[in-house]
Amino acid sequence: MEVFEMIKSRKAVRHYSGQITDEQLQKILTAANAAAVGMGEFDNYRLTVIQKEDVLNKLSGIYNAPTVIVVSAKDPSVMEDISAGTIVHNMELMAEDQGLGANYNMASLGSIPDGVVPNGFKPIFALTLGQTTEKFVPREISMDKIKTNIIK
């Protein structure tokens, strides 16, 4: 899908019809690794892919998603929060480019069981993923949603 069309078609999906494939997951993880990260400090981040049913059942607010990817950071500050957002956004766009459903998620972070996220890392953002029957259709984007000042 063309990038601009995909951006106009983007939406939060909360209904999943099946698990993603390993190939789809690899593309999503590649997109994560292509993200802009503050000061290029990639060692400060970890991705945790959760597909194990008994762990997923303990997570709140994931809408029965069959895959959740958690982005964690060491000693997160504003820079790590923003970088985590770019990582998750890349993954979300790659998921939707493959026709998958995705939803930004922070509601589940407090319910992640001990031992799931690597020691020394704090979960700061997550993405729910799965197959979906929803269609992605470009929509008209209102240009007054975010007030803009243009200085020339």
Side-chain angles (χ1 to χ4, degrees), residues 3 8 16 19 21 23 26 31 33 43 48 62 66 68 86 96 99 102 117-118 132-133 137:
V3 174
K8 293 191 305 183
Y16 303 99
Q19 184 58 273
T21 67
E23 293 78 18
Q26 286 307 308
N33 280 276
D43 285 343
T48 302
I62 65 165
V68 175
T86 67
E96 289 190 355
V117 171
T132 188
T133 57
V137 179

Side-chain angles (χ1 to χ4, degrees), residues 47-107:
L47 300 174
T48 302
V49 179
I50 304 169
Q51 294 181 322
K52 191 174 183 179
E53 192 171 339
D54 66 324
V55 176
L56 291 169
N57 288 337
K58 294 176 183 174
L59 301 179
S60 60
I62 65 165
Y63 307 102
N64 296 313
T67 297
V68 175
I69 302 178
V70 178
V71 180
S72 303
K74 287 190 246 179
D75 302 316
S77 66
V78 172
M79 183 175 74
E80 285 77 18
D81 289 346
I82 292 168
S83 294
T86 67
I87 293 167
V88 170
H89 190 62
N90 269 20
M91 291 191 298
E92 191 271 346
L93 290 174
M94 178 54 70
E96 289 190 355
D97 188 53
Q98 298 180 84
L100 298 171
N103 190 24
Y104 299 116
N105 183 284
M106 289 180 282

